[in-house]
Amino acid sequence: MKKALIVINPNSTQSLTDGIAAALEPLHSFGIPIRCLTLAEGPPGIETQQQADLTIAPMLARAKREEPNALGYVIACFSDPGLYALRDGTALPVLGIQEAAMMTAMTLGQAVGVIAIKPASITRHMRAFGAMGVSGRIAGERALGLSVTALTGDGTLDAMIATGRALRDEDGAEVLIMGCAGMARYRDPLEQALGIPVVEPCQAAASMALGRIALNQSHKITGATDA
Amino acid sequence: MKKALIVINPNSTQSLTDGIAAALEPLHSFGIPIRCLTLAEGPPGIETQQQADLTIAPMLARAKREEPNALGYVIACFSDPGLYALRDGTALPVLGIQEAAMMTAMTLGQAVGVIAIKPASITRHMRAFGAMGVSGRIAGERALGLSVTALTGDGTLDAMIATGRALRDEDGAEVLIMGCAGMARYRDPLEQALGIPVVEPCQAAASMALGRIALNQSHKITGATDA
Amino acid sequence: MKKALIVINPNSTQSLTDGIAAALEPLHSFGIPIRCLTLAEGPPGIETQQQADLTIAPMLARAKREEPNALGYVIACFSDPGLYALRDGTALPVLGIQEAAMMTAMTLGQAVGVIAIKPASITRHMRAFGAMGVSGRIAGERALGLSVTALTGDGTLDAMIATGRALRDEDGAEVLIMGCAGMARYRDPLEQALGIPVVEPCQAAASMALGRIALNQSHKITGATDA
Amino acid sequence: MKKALIVINPNSTQSLTDGIAAALEPLHSFGIPIRCLTLAEGPPGIETQQQADLTIAPMLARAKREEPNALGYVIACFSDPGLYALRDGTALPVLGIQEAAMMTAMTLGQAVGVIAIKPASITRHMRAFGAMGVSGRIAGERALGLSVTALTGDGTLDAMIATGRALRDEDGAEVLIMGCAGMARYRDPLEQALGIPVVEPCQAAASMALGRIALNQSHKITGATDA
Amino acid sequence: MKKALIVINPNSTQSLTDGIAAALEPLHSFGIPIRCLTLAEGPPGIETQQQADLTIAPMLARAKREEPNALGYVIACFSDPGLYALRDGTALPVLGIQEAAMMTAMTLGQAVGVIAIKPASITRHMRAFGAMGVSGRIAGERALGLSVTALTGDGTLDAMIATGRALRDEDGAEVLIMGCAGMARYRDPLEQALGIPVVEPCQAAASMALGRIALNQSHKITGATDA
Amino acid sequence: MKKALIVINPNSTQSLTDGIAAALEPLHSFGIPIRCLTLAEGPPGIETQQQADLTIAPMLARAKREEPNALGYVIACFSDPGLYALRDGTALPVLGIQEAAMMTAMTLGQAVGVIAIKPASITRHMRAFGAMGVSGRIAGERALGLSVTALTGDGTLDAMIATGRALRDEDGAEVLIMGCAGMARYRDPLEQALGIPVVEPCQAAASMALGRIALNQSHKITGATDA
């Protein structure tokens, strides 16, 4: 099998993985294969820290199996479960979609707004932004109030526009992050409706990962003379 | 002329531009042309805020002339001169190398060290990290004490290793940023000598810019229905 | 000509300069001449980062011409364009009105609110507050939605009171900064209407500059034995 | 008696008050009388939080007695004891020397170093910088290891230079604050020895206070229509 | 008299002290006596920094008198008056209720909301949270608008629920702190009404203090070999 | 079985659990049983994020089995693995030893130093302090350079004193945290050697947990009328 960037959706919903794959199509022109996988052992959707943490063991096992054919990894859940654990185990580039989305958003606007699916996710995301040391750039995070699996319903775009408008008008956000994998098809209509940039986190992470692969940029340097 | 990512070296030293171009060669495989330009009106090297600021007007003029053939811009000076001014004037992606290097480094290690050329640059960089809201991630910045144009001399690598070692061992840096364009050829030997990742800022910015171009991701959304 | 504190309005609107001069009249009793200049090369008003940055070159040139008759400088635009560039070039005191207004406001109340003219200025100001390391003291910034040149119209005070009231009541501001030169005549009625202190930034900067002049306090020490 | 800016030394050492008065002589040209008082009830020097807090009651009583002849107040102890308590009780300008020194230093350099007399004061100062929201601007604080009353001895300047050099060279300070009233006569030799600006906190506070008086700028607005 | 944890209410309202004592009853099972005292010299309620500061001298005197029978201290006013002064004077554990409540709340939810009695207290509390270095965890603070002594009135619970709901729904608070001693009896109904944890600060401080006593954990180590 | 506070050592080294149990003996007087368990599925020591994350699943399973006899939980590994996951699954109090140690240390000194076992743990701890929003209180973290299981060797105390002295003298720490479970017996000699408070994290967490149990204080309120 040709080596590829491995994008792991740590939940078990194949339609979400399909949505991620579609989001990454514009990056095929870079000439590096991208393979999107569904973690069979994951829950249908990840809504709690407990669900997120319990995907780590099977995700690490899956990544290990893929390693011979891997050029790098993207963990495609906005909670970045196992991001540092996977980095511990490989020298290949590993990007998490929350981290990459934030790094991308910070170059598109000063005040960043985040659209979450569920209110309970906000506290988890805030801890992660704190760990990144970027809390000061968060204008606000607001939840749609829809379940992850219900994200295909008709009212989703309307809910996203309403939530994004509140982030923009009440919280002062100048750029939005979609705080969930699987929302990619709403990026363009959301930007058009609100007039501010919208970051789709899988796109952000995959494009950063491809750059790392091309540049041979790793978080782990082996064989150093003075480590 | 085929449209390209335009990388503008705002100083007038062509050899530095050549070094930047060499640093970006691994990104040619992405299939998007990259054109590196030297700003004739710039000083030989940028060491003060005054020098940095005075490149903005000619840089903006040059960017405007290039716009018909541009897919995006990288401003290839670590002071990011005119970054926000250029973003004001175009909807094409615009990346600055300090900003992009920091966003990249933050995904490679928790504590970030910066190697500056001159001591006087540190205060300028610190203001910029503060404006980005990421000061808490900076472990330290230390200067080589060489002039920008002397960066080709034999002792440069030794000076960089010594400076990087101090950042790693005394300041606790886990990842280093080369705080200057034109140091690219030292990235690999520096990583090998010190055993921690080293970010070359032009590579960081160009790879992010290429991702934006492929994804049609802009900081400025035009024609929104509810702006 | 007698040496004076030089206050440079970097936009070309003389009536704004006149407003600044009026604002500084109470400081004439300190016995140090104050001269307010209009930068002919500037735009009528500064609303974008691009406009701000393009005033730097002519501002520096003008300051250089004034240097023989100068005791110090105030850059009288709330974006503080060229503040650090001018400090690079002179050992005389140089104050920017955003920086000085913030330092003043922080001694008048804990939570600081800022009244901007245009929404687009807020992101520029936030970057600057971040560079100063004082973002945690900002309760909020809100825009009037008037152009700089329209600030003489009848509804201006009403708009300022409404904006200030929102900063006080919704954002918790305990002190307000007028985020623009040329609003000085509204300081007293605004304080009377809202009951919280209001900082006029040109007054803040000029009074700090006069103190520096009297105390011979410079940012640049020349002739040190151990620099 | 002519109304004056009242500078209260909250310790009982008259020679310190004399040193403060000498430090403020350059500000006499502003035409506003300055009166420096010694708080008889204070301890000979303030080295603990307990000593600082116990000066508040007599300091407030003294300020109240002086109010009919006061234009404003400076509390001339670097712990700013009673700063907010005094502001509660008067609408006249009240400046504390730690707060004012920091606001001044932040306009003279990015990284601020503080010279303390005693190690035990550092924690007290750090809490205050935290309350001001400016901790990120502190490069370091180091102690001389001399008692307040011993500050007149011969080795004081040498100790200050050595401490300032460590702050500059090891901690990266670009501007120094003398963390004690009564060190004013060392400002010039310290600047000359180290080549970076030095802020004498009584000068910083008094010059800000004189500006407030001239500008009729108060922290407390009375008689507002919509308070 | 048996040695006890001494809880000092620095205001003179005995009914408040009684409320504090009632709040601490569940901690009697720990086997360490708790004695709640009223500071006769204090004001009926503490609403300003001046009132808070003026309780320090008599509080310190009272603590000194109690020392022979003390195992530790809690200062039971949310402004933590004299917290550091008392720590200066004793090696017994000293807890302040604002500090302890915040440390407790930070383990119960990410975003912390504070219910104040009076609007004027908010600025005082914010300075203290800044000094603690935890401002980033504060979602908001809102005032009931009741006087301290009116806290026994019938509408108090309703006002607290309304204020808590605004903190939860508008500011995003996930845990609430009751920003005043003497509100303990409202903790349960408030939790039941709003569904988020509520920290009663006297309980938080006393339980921490009892742990320190049992563990012999002091802020001041005496007799060290290398101090 | 009598209900107890359950302290889970997530590594499989029983001698470490024994050390934890010994550390908690002074808390037995509070009358609440404490049961210390060893997680058989854990690694001998936890040195990487991967090891930490992989203990979460068996730890959650174990906690679930213990729930009928539990009054609360302490996760006794300084990486706080599964802290938020366990809180998701129970309304009983759950304390992590890193979080609790930091909350405790912040009431014992302003600048906090952390003694880690291994250098690689520092980055993991720093992310956690960032997530807590308390990075500004960290003076430094330094590693002993010993493996977790070697912590019983003779040179351990010497290494801890040397590391603590560097944190105190070079980094300015005023209070130390032992960044590992199983170091409890060194707390007293370390305090005596260095003269500053030392927090043993299991003691900190258990004493906070006992307070929560006595006060019926939970992070999760069930049955609220308006959740």
Side-chain angles (χ1 to χ4, degrees):
Chain A
M1 198 187 304
K2 212 177 161 193
K3 287 197 177 194
L5 171 65
I6 307 295
V7 179
I8 303 178
N9 170 17
N11 74 39
S12 59
T13 302
Q14 179 61 36
S15 61
L16 261 155
T17 314
D18 295 343
I20 294 167
L24 304 185
E25 273 171 25
L27 296 169
H28 289 181
S29 64
F30 281 6
I32 297 175
I34 300 174
R35 229 179 18 254
C36 298
L37 308 178
T38 304
L39 191 69
E41 299 91 336
I46 292 175
E47 300 187 359
T48 68
Q49 185 72 49
Q50 192 168 115
Q51 289 175 317
D53 286 352
L54 291 176
T55 67
I56 298 177
M59 184 275 288
L60 291 175
R62 180 68 186 264
K64 198 167 193 177
R65 289 203 308 276
E66 301 291 340
E67 184 97 0
N69 297 313
L71 294 168
Y73 301 93
V74 166
I75 302 173
C77 164
F78 201 72
S79 299
D80 288 349
L83 175 62
Y84 297 100
L86 183 51
R87 284 181 184 155
D88 273 351
T90 181
L92 297 177
V94 181
L95 274 294
I97 67 171
Q98 181 179 5
E99 188 181 64
M102 187 60 189
M103 297 305 133
T104 300
M106 289 201 288
T107 69
L108 291 166
Q110 187 70 9
V112 179
V114 184
I115 300 176
I117 309 298
K118 288 284 199 180
S121 302
I122 295 175
T123 188
R124 194 165 69 246
H125 300 163
M126 287 300 158
R127 288 196 301 265
F129 289 130
M132 291 179 213
V134 298
S135 307
R137 292 290 292 273
I138 301 292
E141 176 161 352
R142 291 172 180 257
L144 291 182
L146 304 174
S147 76
V148 175
T149 46
L151 279 178
T152 53
D154 283 349
T156 306
L157 180 59
D158 288 348
M160 297 192 72
I161 291 174
T163 305
R165 187 178 286 123
L167 286 163
R168 184 194 65 183
D169 296 342
E170 293 175 44
D171 301 334
E174 299 166 332
V175 55
L176 298 179
I177 293 175
M178 303 165 97
C180 182
M183 292 175 166
R185 67 188 166 288
Y186 301 118
R187 195 193 116 200
D188 278 354
L190 201 50
E191 286 191 333
Q192 284 306 310
L194 298 175
I196 56 176
V198 175
V199 176
E200 197 288 318
C202 298
Q203 293 182 333
S207 63
M208 289 184 85
L210 295 174
R212 304 292 160 89
I213 292 167
L215 293 166
N216 194 28
Q217 178 102 53
S218 171
H219 59 283
K220 189 179 260 191
I221 310 301
T222 53
T225 55
D226 178 39
Chain B
M1 198 186 303
K2 211 176 161 194
K3 288 196 177 195
L5 172 65
I6 306 295
V7 178
I8 303 179
N9 169 18
N11 73 39
S12 60
T13 302
Q14 179 63 35
S15 61
L16 261 156
T17 314
D18 296 342
I20 294 167
L24 304 185
E25 273 172 24
L27 296 170
H28 289 181
S29 64
F30 282 5
I32 297 175
I34 301 174
R35 232 183 12 256
C36 299
L37 308 177
T38 305
L39 191 67
E41 298 91 336
I46 291 174
E47 300 186 0
T48 67
Q49 185 71 51
Q50 193 169 115
Q51 288 175 317
D53 286 352
L54 291 177
T55 67
I56 298 177
M59 183 276 288
L60 292 175
R62 180 68 186 265
K64 197 166 193 178
R65 288 203 309 275
E66 301 292 338
E67 183 98 0
N69 297 313
L71 294 167
Y73 301 93
V74 167
I75 301 174
C77 165
F78 201 72
S79 300
D80 289 349
L83 175 61
Y84 297 101
L86 182 50
R87 284 182 184 156
D88 273 351
T90 181
L92 297 178
V94 181
L95 274 293
I97 68 170
Q98 180 178 6
E99 188 181 63
M102 187 62 189
M103 297 304 134
T104 299
M106 288 202 288
T107 69
L108 292 166
Q110 187 70 9
V112 179
V114 184
I115 300 175
I117 308 298
K118 289 284 201 180
S121 303
I122 295 175
T123 188
R124 193 165 70 246
H125 300 162
M126 287 300 157
R127 289 196 300 266
F129 290 129
M132 291 179 212
V134 298
S135 306
R137 292 289 293 273
I138 300 292
E141 177 160 353
R142 291 172 181 257
L144 292 182
L146 303 175
S147 75
V148 174
T149 48
L151 278 179
T152 54
D154 283 348
T156 306
L157 179 59
D158 289 348
M160 296 192 73
I161 291 173
T163 305
R165 187 177 288 124
L167 286 163
R168 185 195 64 182
D169 296 343
E170 294 175 43
D171 301 334
E174 299 167 331
V175 55
L176 299 178
I177 293 174
M178 303 165 98
C180 182
M183 292 176 166
R185 66 187 165 290
Y186 300 117
R187 196 194 116 201
D188 278 352
L190 200 50
E191 286 191 334
Q192 284 306 311
L194 298 175
I196 55 176
V198 175
V199 176
E200 198 288 319
C202 298
Q203 293 182 331
S207 63
M208 289 185 85
L210 295 174
R212 305 293 160 89
I213 291 168
L215 293 166
N216 194 27
Q217 178 102 54
S218 170
H219 59 283
K220 189 180 258 189
I221 310 302
T222 51
T225 54
D226 178 39
Chain C
M1 199 187 303
K2 210 176 163 194
K3 288 197 176 195
L5 171 65
I6 306 294
V7 179
I8 303 179
N9 169 19
N11 75 38
S12 59
T13 301
Q14 180 62 36
S15 61
L16 261 156
T17 314
D18 295 343
I20 295 167
L24 304 184
E25 272 171 24
L27 296 169
H28 289 181
S29 64
F30 282 5
I32 298 175
I34 300 174
R35 226 173 28 246
C36 299
L37 309 177
T38 304
L39 192 68
E41 300 90 337
I46 292 176
E47 300 188 359
T48 68
Q49 186 70 50
Q50 193 168 115
Q51 289 175 317
D53 285 352
L54 291 177
T55 67
I56 298 177
M59 183 275 288
L60 291 175
R62 180 69 187 265
K64 197 165 194 180
R65 287 203 310 275
E66 301 292 339
E67 183 98 1
N69 297 313
L71 294 168
Y73 301 94
V74 166
I75 302 173
C77 164
F78 201 71
S79 301
D80 288 349
L83 175 61
Y84 297 101
L86 183 50
R87 284 182 185 157
D88 274 350
T90 182
L92 297 178
V94 181
L95 275 293
I97 67 171
Q98 180 179 6
E99 189 180 62
M102 187 60 189
M103 298 305 133
T104 300
M106 289 201 288
T107 69
L108 291 167
Q110 187 70 8
V112 179
V114 184
I115 300 175
I117 309 298
K118 289 285 200 179
S121 303
I122 295 175
T123 189
R124 194 165 70 246
H125 299 162
M126 288 298 158
R127 287 196 303 266
F129 290 129
M132 290 179 212
V134 298
S135 307
R137 293 289 293 272
I138 300 292
E141 176 160 353
R142 292 172 180 257
L144 291 182
L146 304 174
S147 75
V148 175
T149 46
L151 280 178
T152 53
D154 282 349
T156 306
L157 180 60
D158 289 348
M160 297 192 72
I161 290 173
T163 304
R165 186 178 287 124
L167 286 162
R168 185 193 65 183
D169 296 342
E170 293 176 43
D171 301 334
E174 299 166 331
V175 54
L176 298 178
I177 294 175
M178 303 165 96
C180 182
M183 292 176 166
R185 67 187 165 290
Y186 301 117
R187 196 194 115 199
D188 278 353
L190 200 50
E191 287 190 334
Q192 285 305 312
L194 298 175
I196 56 176
V198 175
V199 176
E200 198 288 318
C202 297
Q203 292 182 332
S207 63
M208 289 185 85
L210 294 174
R212 305 291 160 89
I213 292 168
L215 293 165
N216 194 28
Q217 178 101 55
S218 170
H219 60 283
K220 190 180 257 189
I221 310 302
T222 53
T225 54
D226 178 39
Chain D
M1 200 188 304
K2 211 178 161 192
K3 287 197 177 196
L5 171 64
I6 306 295
V7 179
I8 303 179
N9 170 18
N11 74 38
S12 60
T13 302
Q14 179 64 34
S15 61
L16 261 156
T17 314
D18 295 343
I20 294 167
L24 304 185
E25 273 172 23
L27 296 170
H28 290 180
S29 64
F30 283 5
I32 297 175
I34 301 175
R35 232 184 10 257
C36 298
L37 309 177
T38 304
L39 191 68
E41 299 91 337
I46 292 175
E47 300 187 359
T48 68
Q49 186 71 49
Q50 193 168 114
Q51 289 175 318
D53 286 352
L54 291 177
T55 67
I56 298 177
M59 183 275 289
L60 292 175
R62 180 69 187 264
K64 196 164 193 179
R65 289 202 309 276
E66 300 292 337
E67 184 96 0
N69 297 312
L71 294 167
Y73 301 94
V74 167
I75 302 173
C77 164
F78 201 72
S79 300
D80 289 349
L83 175 61
Y84 297 101
L86 182 50
R87 283 182 184 155
D88 273 351
T90 181
L92 296 178
V94 181
L95 274 294
I97 69 171
Q98 180 179 6
E99 188 180 63
M102 187 61 189
M103 298 304 134
T104 299
M106 289 201 288
T107 69
L108 291 167
Q110 186 71 9
V112 179
V114 184
I115 300 176
I117 309 298
K118 290 283 200 181
S121 303
I122 296 175
T123 190
R124 193 165 69 244
H125 300 162
M126 288 299 158
R127 289 197 299 266
F129 290 129
M132 291 178 212
V134 298
S135 307
R137 292 289 293 273
I138 301 292
E141 176 160 353
R142 291 173 181 256
L144 292 182
L146 304 175
S147 75
V148 174
T149 47
L151 278 179
T152 53
D154 282 349
T156 306
L157 180 60
D158 289 347
M160 296 192 72
I161 291 174
T163 304
R165 187 178 288 123
L167 287 163
R168 184 195 66 183
D169 295 343
E170 295 176 42
D171 301 334
E174 298 167 332
V175 54
L176 298 179
I177 294 174
M178 304 164 97
C180 183
M183 292 176 166
R185 66 188 165 288
Y186 300 118
R187 195 193 116 201
D188 278 353
L190 201 50
E191 286 191 334
Q192 284 306 310
L194 298 175
I196 55 175
V198 175
V199 176
E200 198 287 319
C202 298
Q203 292 182 333
S207 63
M208 290 184 84
L210 295 174
R212 305 293 160 88
I213 292 168
L215 293 165
N216 194 28
Q217 178 101 55
S218 171
H219 59 283
K220 191 180 256 189
I221 310 302
T222 52
T225 54
D226 178 38
Chain E
M1 199 187 304
K2 212 178 159 192
K3 288 197 177 195
L5 171 65
I6 307 296
V7 179
I8 303 179
N9 169 17
N11 74 38
S12 59
T13 302
Q14 180 62 36
S15 61
L16 260 155
T17 314
D18 296 342
I20 295 168
L24 304 184
E25 273 172 24
L27 296 169
H28 289 181
S29 64
F30 281 5
I32 298 174
I34 300 174
R35 228 178 20 253
C36 298
L37 309 176
T38 303
L39 191 68
E41 300 91 336
I46 292 176
E47 300 188 359
T48 68
Q49 185 72 50
Q50 193 169 115
Q51 289 175 316
D53 285 352
L54 291 176
T55 67
I56 298 177
M59 183 275 288
L60 291 175
R62 180 68 187 264
K64 197 166 193 178
R65 288 203 310 275
E66 301 291 339
E67 184 97 1
N69 297 312
L71 295 167
Y73 301 94
V74 167
I75 303 174
C77 164
F78 201 72
S79 300
D80 288 350
L83 175 61
Y84 298 102
L86 182 51
R87 284 183 184 155
D88 272 351
T90 181
L92 298 178
V94 181
L95 274 294
I97 68 171
Q98 180 179 8
E99 189 180 61
M102 187 60 189
M103 297 305 134
T104 299
M106 289 202 287
T107 70
L108 292 167
Q110 187 69 9
V112 179
V114 184
I115 300 176
I117 309 297
K118 288 285 201 180
S121 302
I122 295 176
T123 189
R124 194 165 69 244
H125 299 162
M126 288 299 157
R127 287 196 302 266
F129 290 129
M132 292 179 212
V134 299
S135 307
R137 293 289 293 273
I138 301 293
E141 176 160 353
R142 290 172 181 256
L144 292 182
L146 304 174
S147 75
V148 174
T149 47
L151 279 178
T152 52
D154 283 348
T156 306
L157 180 60
D158 288 348
M160 296 192 72
I161 290 174
T163 304
R165 186 178 287 125
L167 286 163
R168 185 193 66 182
D169 296 342
E170 295 176 42
D171 301 334
E174 299 166 331
V175 54
L176 298 179
I177 293 174
M178 302 165 98
C180 182
M183 292 176 167
R185 68 188 165 287
Y186 301 117
R187 196 195 115 200
D188 278 353
L190 200 50
E191 286 191 334
Q192 285 306 310
L194 298 175
I196 57 175
V198 175
V199 176
E200 198 288 319
C202 297
Q203 292 182 332
S207 62
M208 289 185 84
L210 295 175
R212 305 292 160 89
I213 292 167
L215 293 165
N216 194 26
Q217 178 101 54
S218 170
H219 59 283
K220 190 180 259 191
I221 310 302
T222 53
T225 54
D226 178 39
Chain F
M1 199 187 304
K2 210 177 163 194
K3 288 198 177 195
L5 172 64
I6 307 295
V7 179
I8 303 179
N9 170 18
N11 75 38
S12 60
T13 301
Q14 179 63 36
S15 60
L16 261 156
T17 314
D18 296 343
I20 295 167
L24 304 185
E25 272 171 26
L27 296 170
H28 289 181
S29 64
F30 282 5
I32 297 175
I34 301 174
R35 230 179 18 254
C36 299
L37 309 177
T38 304
L39 191 69
E41 300 91 336
I46 292 175
E47 300 187 359
T48 68
Q49 185 71 50
Q50 193 169 115
Q51 289 175 317
D53 286 352
L54 291 177
T55 66
I56 298 177
M59 183 275 288
L60 292 175
R62 181 69 187 264
K64 197 166 193 176
R65 288 204 308 275
E66 302 291 339
E67 184 97 0
N69 297 312
L71 294 167
Y73 302 93
V74 167
I75 301 174
C77 164
F78 201 71
S79 299
D80 288 350
L83 175 61
Y84 297 102
L86 183 50
R87 284 182 184 156
D88 273 350
T90 180
L92 298 177
V94 181
L95 275 293
I97 68 171
Q98 180 179 6
E99 188 180 64
M102 187 62 189
M103 298 305 134
T104 299
M106 289 201 289
T107 68
L108 291 166
Q110 186 71 8
V112 178
V114 184
I115 299 176
I117 309 296
K118 290 284 201 180
S121 302
I122 296 175
T123 188
R124 194 164 69 245
H125 300 163
M126 287 300 158
R127 288 196 300 267
F129 290 129
M132 290 179 213
V134 299
S135 307
R137 292 289 293 272
I138 301 292
E141 176 161 352
R142 290 172 181 255
L144 292 182
L146 303 174
S147 75
V148 174
T149 48
L151 279 178
T152 54
D154 282 348
T156 306
L157 179 60
D158 289 347
M160 296 192 72
I161 291 174
T163 305
R165 187 179 286 124
L167 286 163
R168 184 194 64 182
D169 296 342
E170 294 176 43
D171 302 333
E174 298 166 332
V175 55
L176 299 179
I177 293 175
M178 303 165 98
C180 183
M183 293 176 165
R185 66 188 165 288
Y186 301 118
R187 196 194 115 201
D188 277 353
L190 201 49
E191 286 190 334
Q192 284 306 310
L194 298 175
I196 56 176
V198 175
V199 176
E200 198 287 319
C202 298
Q203 292 181 333
S207 63
M208 289 184 85
L210 295 175
R212 305 293 160 88
I213 292 168
L215 293 165
N216 194 26
Q217 177 102 54
S218 170
H219 58 283
K220 190 180 259 191
I221 310 302
T222 51
T225 54
D226 177 40

